[in-house]
Amino acid sequence: MGCCESCFLTKTGYEKRHRKHLHQVQQPPQQHLLQQRQSFSQNAPEGEAGGVPAFSEYSLADLKAATNNFSAEFIVSESGEKAPNLVYKGRLQNRRWIAVKKFTKMAWPDPKQFAEEAWGVGKLRHRRLANLIGYCCDGDERLLVAEYMPNDTLAKHLFHWENQTLEWAMRLRVACYIAEALEYCSSESRPLYHDLNAYRVLFDEDGDPRLSCFGLMKNSRDGKSYSTNLAYTPPEYLRNGRVTPESVIFSFGTVLLDLLSGKHIPPSHALDMIRGKNILLLMDSHLEGNFSMEEATALVDLASRCLQYEPRERPNTKNLVDTLAPLQTKSEVPSHVMMNIPKREEAPSTPQHPLSPMGEACSRMDLTAIHQILVRTHYRDDEGTNELSFQEWTQQMREMLEARKRGDFSFRDKDFKTAIDCYTQFIDVGTMVSPTVYARRSLCHLLCDQADAALRDAMQAQCVYPDWPTAFYMQAVALAKLDMHKDAADMLNEAAGLEEKKQKNGGRAS
């Protein structure tokens, strides 16, 4: 394990990493912070907003840091280092796990063309997709950044399983969810999907199947690479080298064959079995007969229609969903239960240290109480963070302090948007640094539903004052708002431990 990975996985590593690297992080434009919450909520089903950031451009330095300089240990491509376009897992500075697809040097010579294609895919947001969240063009490098799916591919669960095979109801769910993803993409004028197969179906932390966004983007500017195995390639592609929406339906039919048989069977062989009415021979023996013959027949029939030689005879994506939706008989059972995946921790663990009033307020995520404490504490914890010479008491300094004063009045009066603007004026001058201003602006961002920006400010407060409990407490609240509950619990304990230490040493603690 590289040092970058070990830092991510220990609670003290979170602190060490930020002390070392935080000053290198550039703050994105304010409009990106506003888009962060808006983009997904406009496109995702109700109740699913907030988890996916807006599409943006990443620097190569960011992605190198996230992947430990593209270490071989971070490769998650099924073919390992032999894959034509490698996929890495990584972790960003804000602790979000990502998947990074690295194209070969000359796959996309024109950076503008690559960026336009990436932005087109990046507009899509859906719960059935492993969504694209960014890209990078730097010199010859062409990279895509997507949500990371931690529970392997459909291919792994069907062909290389170790503990248990996928039960029948889960296979029906996979078919339906991927059909829904394709239907959504078609409705958003992105009907072309390149090389749809069992390796493109991923499972998220809840065990729900999702369609990889990488297949929505061509493997190269000319799109001439469709499949590594011609036996599974749509017949029209072999004739004219073009991918059409009907080609995607053919490929979906091959995925249905995988789900039925638990094996990767060439479509021509499977169709011979279907025509011979040998459905039972087609079925996965590992299911041991635990499936509905009526449902299996419906799935076989749909696969047969998808695999028709003539593209016009295949169903469209709406037909797929209409056929598969009624077959969902265990919709009340969560995917992680069917797949025997341990559920992520939903709530912070019990603190290891006694909590102060500030700690209690943060553990309850009581933003009103946090506000009252920060107003009461004022700037007493900033003592010693700035030593100004006489020459620095310029007109600019007076204006800067006036901006902070206006921010303080707005903060006290709960005009949090104005407070953000005033504190930003103070910070942007850069002559003075104030951990309290960062903590106050962090709370303002939380109260304006901008948890990512709040986390960034709390991290900056820690950078200015590395052992300040309030900086850790504010990170804990922001992490909890971002549904990173384990990290939030670690940060809460870190803050409480620092408070306890300061009290024993007779020092100040917020």
Side-chain angles (χ1 to χ4, degrees):
M1 180 182 291
C3 66
C4 185
E5 175 77 346
S6 62
C7 280
F8 282 135
L9 298 181
T10 62
K11 65 181 181 179
T12 53
Y14 185 88
E15 171 190 355
K16 290 174 185 172
R17 181 172 176 79
H18 286 28
R19 288 180 186 174
K20 184 177 177 183
H21 298 299
L22 189 58
H23 67 280
Q24 301 170 355
V25 179
Q26 294 183 344
Q27 186 125 334
Q30 188 69 20
Q31 62 263 31
H32 279 195
L33 301 178
L34 296 173
Q35 289 169 356
Q36 195 104 352
R37 292 288 170 204
Q38 294 168 353
S39 174
F40 191 56
S41 61
Q42 288 167 356
N43 294 291
E46 185 178 353
E48 301 219 357
V52 185
F55 184 83
S56 61
E57 184 174 4
Y58 287 84
S59 72
L60 187 59
D62 287 340
L63 301 184
K64 280 184 174 180
T67 58
N68 198 16
N69 201 23
F70 299 106
S71 165
E73 297 173 18
F74 283 55
I75 293 173
V76 292
S77 307
E78 295 279 349
S79 303
E81 295 185 71
K82 297 177 183 176
N85 299 306
L86 291 176
V87 179
Y88 297 81
K89 71 174 179 180
R91 209 169 193 187
L92 295 171
Q93 189 107 27
N94 66 2
R95 300 185 59 78
R96 176 183 294 281
W97 283 104
I98 54 172
V100 182
K101 183 171 183 177
K102 198 170 191 280
F103 288 87
T104 52
K105 299 266 185 207
M106 295 311 295
W108 292 87
D110 183 354
K112 185 169 181 279
Q113 192 179 25
F114 179 79
E116 287 173 354
E117 183 82 5
W119 274 99
V121 177
K123 291 175 183 175
L124 302 177
R125 285 290 179 270
H126 199 270
R127 65 188 182 202
R128 304 295 184 229
L129 289 174
N131 294 282
L132 194 67
I133 61 175
Y135 77 105
C136 172
C137 281
D138 189 316
D140 290 334
E141 298 291 354
R142 305 286 182 266
L143 304 113
L144 296 176
V145 183
E147 294 180 281
Y148 178 66
M149 302 289 110
N151 284 309
D152 296 317
T153 64
L154 177 61
K156 179 79 178 290
H157 287 284
L158 279 177
F159 312 142
H160 311 294
W161 55 278
E162 296 169 2
N163 300 318
Q164 66 176 62
T165 188
L166 282 182
E167 67 171 272
W168 177 246
M170 191 66 210
R171 298 184 193 213
L172 292 174
R173 182 171 296 180
V174 169
C176 188
Y177 281 16
I178 300 312
E180 288 178 2
L182 295 174
E183 166 77 357
Y184 165 74
C185 294
S186 294
S187 72
E188 294 294 315
S189 302
R190 300 289 306 194
L192 301 186
Y193 194 95
H194 299 264
D195 198 13
L196 175 59
N197 58 53
Y199 295 94
R200 299 283 203 183
V201 180
L202 312 169
F203 291 88
D204 65 19
E205 60 189 353
D206 295 320
D208 284 330
R210 301 223 220 157
L211 184 62
S212 169
C213 62
F214 292 150
L216 289 162
M217 187 154 167
K218 293 179 289 190
N219 280 329
S220 62
R221 69 187 190 283
D222 56 13
K224 289 299 183 187
S225 172
Y226 186 84
S227 173
T228 54
N229 192 325
L230 295 181
Y232 301 91
T233 303
E236 64 274 12
Y237 182 82
L238 297 176
R239 292 198 298 270
N240 57 36
R242 289 181 58 244
V243 180
T244 67
E246 292 78 19
S247 309
V248 180
I249 300 299
F250 183 93
S251 296
F252 183 78
T254 68
V255 174
L256 291 181
L257 292 181
D258 294 342
L259 291 166
L260 286 160
S261 66
K263 297 184 283 290
H264 209 32
I265 300 177
S268 57
H269 295 179
L271 286 171
D272 287 342
M273 296 170 77
I274 293 170
R275 291 189 193 104
K277 303 197 182 303
N278 294 324
I279 292 179
L280 285 176
L281 284 178
L282 183 64
M283 299 302 294
D284 188 352
S285 60
H286 294 110
L287 287 168
E288 298 177 339
N290 292 316
F291 60 89
S292 157
M293 195 63 195
E294 184 181 348
E295 292 166 357
T297 302
L299 215 61
V300 167
D301 178 63
L302 182 61
S304 177
R305 289 163 55 208
C306 291
L307 296 170
Q308 289 300 303
Y309 185 83
E310 291 297 334
R312 65 177 180 273
E313 295 179 6
R314 299 170 198 159
N316 59 31
T317 54
K318 185 177 185 305
N319 298 147
L320 300 181
V321 175
D322 289 346
T323 302
L324 292 164
L327 302 180
Q328 307 305 304
T329 56
K330 284 181 126 179
S331 53
E332 76 288 350
V333 180
S335 295
H336 73 90
V337 172
M338 278 202 269
M339 296 188 68
N340 197 27
I341 293 172
K343 190 72 173 76
R344 60 180 172 169
E345 186 179 356
E346 293 293 350
S349 55
T350 304
Q352 299 165 1
H353 303 277
L355 294 177
S356 66
M358 181 65 166
E360 289 287 355
C362 290
S363 69
R364 298 192 310 270
M365 297 177 66
D366 186 342
L367 301 185
T368 302
I370 296 170
H371 175 255
Q372 291 171 349
I373 291 168
L374 288 178
V375 168
R376 192 167 62 244
T377 306
H378 202 54
Y379 284 89
R380 76 170 189 226
D381 289 322
D382 279 15
E383 294 170 15
T385 58
N386 292 279
E387 293 184 10
L388 301 174
S389 67
F390 177 78
Q391 288 80 4
E392 288 177 300
W393 286 98
T394 61
Q395 179 63 29
Q396 185 185 44
M397 172 64 72
R398 285 193 288 273
E399 290 173 357
M400 182 184 67
L401 292 174
E402 182 61 33
R404 190 180 76 173
K405 188 175 180 181
R406 290 197 307 274
D408 291 339
F409 283 134
S410 300
F411 184 78
R412 184 196 63 191
D413 296 338
K414 302 182 181 180
D415 181 0
F416 299 114
K417 289 185 178 178
T418 302
I420 289 173
D421 291 340
C422 294
Y423 287 144
T424 300
Q425 289 176 37
F426 172 84
I427 289 167
D428 286 349
V429 172
T431 307
M432 285 181 67
V433 288
S434 167
T436 296
V437 166
Y438 280 118
R440 288 182 167 212
R441 194 173 70 168
S442 176
L443 180 63
C444 292
H445 281 307
L446 286 170
L447 287 157
C448 293
D449 195 28
Q450 297 168 4
D452 288 302
L455 178 60
R456 190 178 297 111
D457 273 350
M459 287 158 53
Q460 290 282 9
Q462 178 196 340
C463 197
V464 176
Y465 185 173
D467 296 318
W468 192 34
T470 295
F472 289 81
Y473 277 135
M474 294 308 299
Q475 288 179 62
V477 180
L479 287 164
K481 284 281 187 183
L482 291 166
D483 293 327
M484 300 180 185
H485 296 293
K486 180 66 170 64
D487 294 323
D490 288 344
M491 207 48 47
L492 202 66
N493 280 322
E494 198 77 31
L498 285 170
E499 275 191 324
E500 195 174 23
K501 182 179 176 182
K502 283 182 178 292
Q503 287 164 2
K504 285 180 181 175
N505 294 337
R508 68 183 186 278
S510 62

